[in-house]
Each structure stands twice: as C-alpha cells, then as structure tokens.
Amino acid sequence: MTSEVIVVGAGIGGVAVAIALALRGRKVRVLEQAEALREVGAGLQISANGTAVLRALGVAEDVTRKAVQSLGTSIRDSARGRLVTHVPPPAAGPTWYVHRADLLDSLVARARGLGVTIETGNCVQQYEARDDGCLLTLETGETQQADIVIAADGGQSGARQHIIGVAQPVFSHQVAWRATVPCAGTEATASATLTMGPGKHLVTYPLRNGALMNVVVVEERSDWTREGWKQTGDPEDLRERFAQFGGMVPDILGQIETAHLWALFLHPVAHRWHRGGLAVLGDAAHPTLPFMAQGACLALEDAFVLARCLTVEGAGGLSRYSEIRAPRARRVVAVAAANAHRFHLKAPLRWGAQAVLKLAGPLVAPRYDWIYGHDVTL
C-alpha cells in the first residue's frame, strides 16, 4: 500500500478534495474516465458557503474574476412575463454565477500547481474496499490500490453501489433542459430570472461577465426517463413545449441552437458514506435536484471537511466525515425536493402563491440563511 490518496473523478468535488489534501501535505492522484478535460456543462451558482471553500483552496479570486455577482432573483409569471417579486441576494455574502468549465479550469490549475496528478482515460470498473484500503480495477484490467480512495464519480456512482448496494431511484416526473445563449453584458442582467407557469418553469442568469446566458428549463412529463445530463434534445421541441410563455421567454428560447435534457430522479442520501478505505462525496453520496442550486456547493463542502477529517484522524476520519456531512446533506436535499412543485403550481393555487410572494419576496432569502451562511472552513 501507499500513503498516496487516489481520487476517482476530476469534477468539481474530486479536484477540490485533491487540492484540500495537497494543501495538507498529502500526495494525491486523480483518475478521470474522460480522455480529456473538456468544456462540459453550463452554469452554476456558487453561494457564500461554496465561496468560503474556494477561498480556503486559494481559487476564489480566479473564479470570481470570470463570474457574475448576483443581484438577486426576479420571479415572473409565465403568461406575459409580469414581475411578481424580486428576491434580494442572501445576506451571508455574494452569490456568483459561473460557467462550470471556468470553475473547473481554476480548480485544475490550482491542483496541478500543488503537484496533484490528473490522469485522464482511466475508467474505474470495480471497487473493492478493504480494512486497510481499497483496490481499484480499471476498464483495461489494470489494478491500483491505495490506503484511501475517494470516489467523486457522480450520481450513478459505482463506489456508492459497492458501499451500500443498488438503490432504485424514483423518477420525479420532471425533465430539465439546459443550454446557453449569447447575451449583452449589462448590470441589468446580473439577476437570475425565475419564470413560473403551470407544470413548468424557466431559470436564466448571466455567465462569463455577461457574455452568455445560462438557460435551465424544467417541465413535468413522464415520457423521458433516461438519467444523465448529456443527452441532446431538439430546440424546436423545447420551443413548442413552452409556446404559452410570454415576456422575454420566446426570444431567449429562439436563440437556442443546442440543448441537452435529462430526467430528474430522486436518490436517497446514502445511509453510509464509506467502507474500509473507500469514501464517497458530492453526487455520489447525495444527488440533489437542482431547485436550490446547491449541488456544487455541497460537493465543495464535502471536499474540505473530508480532507480535514483525514488530516486530523487518519483513515478513522472517514467516519467523522460522514457524521458531520450526512445530516446537512439530507436537509438541503429535502428542501430542493420540496421546491420542485412550488415552481409549478396551477391556478388558483398559483395566484395565491404569487400574492404571498409579492408581499414576502424580501423574506425568502433569509429562510435559507442556514444554507448560505454555513462555513465549513471555520
């Protein structure tokens, strides 16, 4: 065995935990199944709890330089785009709209600068957790082993299955579309816009200093149940499905040339986060629906806490890591799941909800101070 830590998955959580460990003097190697670290995904929201971790990792300045600081969220009705209310940004600190590729570029550069090795084209086929470590079998048949293996291998994690067995996810009966379109970089665009309609909603916000607009569209349906976010959808089909939306929505959807869609599944938070020398983090431990924009932030929090626990307690820190992180992950995931249907109310419930929002808009953000104000680096 070697004191080297192996991380599986060069996404945000995987590279973040590699940095956190390297800053504590550990030798880290990251295995990534893709042949290259390509620009994938689209926009992310990094609230103050995530920024705190980025600051501790030494990348916050580089990330925010390429991002847009949020001025809050405008909530609009779908019929004519009428403004219902404006929700100010959280008091805990700035929320940043950042392209996933830009965030990952900053993390990868920092990791490599600290001596972390990132090896692409390495697909882990099998995990074998042991009391004294973990054995990995790659797709090529090659085996590798380490005292500690950290799996940040996504919502369909093979490591998670090895730790807790196969758990059947539940289809939420919602499908999401994701795209980016060009937009003018003005201060007026520095807010997110949530447009809500019966059974559907659309979220937009700026990226890359206002050069791009991130578009996420969610609709209730049951005819698309393939999990995974890289599947290509037909932009014309998207436009037809949202033809009843007014305001700026038709113009925004009219610009989309390439869209991806994926079915949203409810996965339970893992009841166990480690086995032997194998641990999971991020979506591998707690896949979440996107309705609180906390997926990336939770992964960053996991990464920092896991690295600190391993530093303080060695391999025994894996138990402490899950004790700290599991309760918070369950609470955040539950809030995101509850928001799913609040965005899709039909009349007359929608009218009543809008009346409440109009009066209570400034009070929405403080409800979630326990999310945004949480700082795992203290």
Side-chain angles (χ1 to χ4, degrees):
M1 290 286 185
T2 173
S3 60
E4 175 186 63
V5 176
I6 294 178
V7 176
V8 180
I12 291 165
V15 182
V17 76
I19 294 170
L21 287 166
L23 286 169
R24 290 165 171 78
R26 297 298 293 265
K27 183 180 180 182
V28 188
R29 187 157 51 91
V30 181
L31 304 181
E32 166 58 39
Q33 66 176 346
E35 294 296 331
L37 299 179
R38 303 181 184 90
E39 179 173 305
V40 294
L44 297 170
Q45 297 185 43
I46 304 295
S47 47
N49 52 311
T51 306
V53 177
L54 296 180
R55 191 177 302 114
L57 300 181
V59 299
E61 184 176 349
D62 189 54
V63 171
T64 57
R65 178 176 55 83
K66 299 175 283 190
V68 176
Q69 183 175 339
S70 171
L71 296 180
T73 301
S74 296
I75 299 178
R76 296 184 176 275
D77 182 67
S78 62
R80 296 181 179 84
R82 174 181 54 85
L83 179 67
V84 175
T85 191
H86 182 80
V87 180
T95 292
W96 297 92
Y97 304 135
V98 58
H99 198 293
R100 183 185 185 277
D102 294 341
L103 173 56
L104 194 55
D105 283 349
S106 295
L107 291 170
V108 167
R110 177 65 166 155
R112 286 175 169 157
L114 292 168
V116 173
T117 302
I118 300 177
E119 301 176 2
T120 57
N122 282 277
C123 180
V124 175
Q125 196 76 14
Q126 183 176 325
Y127 297 85
E128 184 181 336
R130 300 173 174 180
D131 291 339
D132 60 347
C134 183
L135 178 70
L136 302 175
T137 301
L138 305 185
E139 196 172 48
T140 60
E142 176 191 354
T143 59
Q144 299 188 21
Q145 56 187 1
D147 294 334
I148 300 292
V149 171
I150 300 169
D153 54 347
Q156 300 179 57
S157 167
R160 174 190 170 107
Q161 292 185 19
H162 180 66
I163 293 171
I164 67 171
V166 178
Q168 189 65 36
V170 177
F171 180 41
S172 70
H173 296 284
Q174 301 195 65
V175 172
W177 301 70
R178 173 177 287 173
T180 58
V181 298
C183 73
T186 64
E187 186 178 4
T189 66
S191 296
T193 299
L194 166 61
T195 304
M196 300 188 299
K200 303 176 182 182
H201 77 271
L202 178 144
V203 176
T204 61
Y205 53 83
L207 300 172
R208 291 181 170 166
N209 297 313
L212 288 178
M213 178 184 291
N214 191 62
V215 183
V216 179
V217 184
V218 180
E219 58 176 330
E220 295 176 6
R221 56 190 280 195
S222 299
D223 61 336
W224 185 281
T225 58
R226 282 181 282 172
E227 196 168 10
W229 55 269
K230 294 183 180 179
Q231 322 224 17
T232 302
D234 180 1
E236 192 56 43
D237 181 33
L238 171 60
R239 286 185 276 271
E240 290 178 5
R241 290 176 176 276
F242 282 75
Q244 301 305 313
F245 275 47
M248 295 297 294
V249 172
D251 291 338
I252 292 169
L253 298 185
Q255 297 181 66
I256 294 177
E257 297 180 357
T258 302
H260 294 90
L261 75 166
W262 74 106
L264 301 180
F265 280 80
L266 297 165
H267 295 257
V269 174
H271 64 269
R272 183 177 179 183
W273 291 32
H274 75 95
R275 178 179 175 185
L278 173 65
V280 289
L281 67 73
D283 285 349
H286 46 74
T288 180
L289 295 178
F291 305 126
M292 280 302 298
Q294 283 294 302
C297 290
L298 286 177
L300 290 169
E301 290 181 4
D302 289 350
F304 189 90
V305 172
L306 178 51
R308 182 164 57 190
C309 288
L310 287 175
T311 300
V312 173
E313 302 183 41
L318 296 181
S319 295
R320 181 61 180 150
Y321 155 68
S322 59
E323 289 171 4
I324 293 171
R325 293 299 301 156
R328 175 167 168 82
R330 290 192 188 98
R331 191 177 177 193
V332 175
V333 168
V335 170
N339 275 347
H341 296 291
R342 291 174 184 158
F343 294 165
H344 296 171
L345 295 175
K346 299 175 175 62
L349 292 177
R350 185 166 98 259
W351 302 331
Q354 288 182 3
V356 172
L357 278 172
K358 189 170 184 178
L359 294 173
L363 303 177
V364 173
R367 288 179 55 196
Y368 302 118
D369 281 348
W370 62 272
I371 295 179
Y372 307 129
H374 189 70
D375 187 346
V376 298
T377 69
L378 297 179

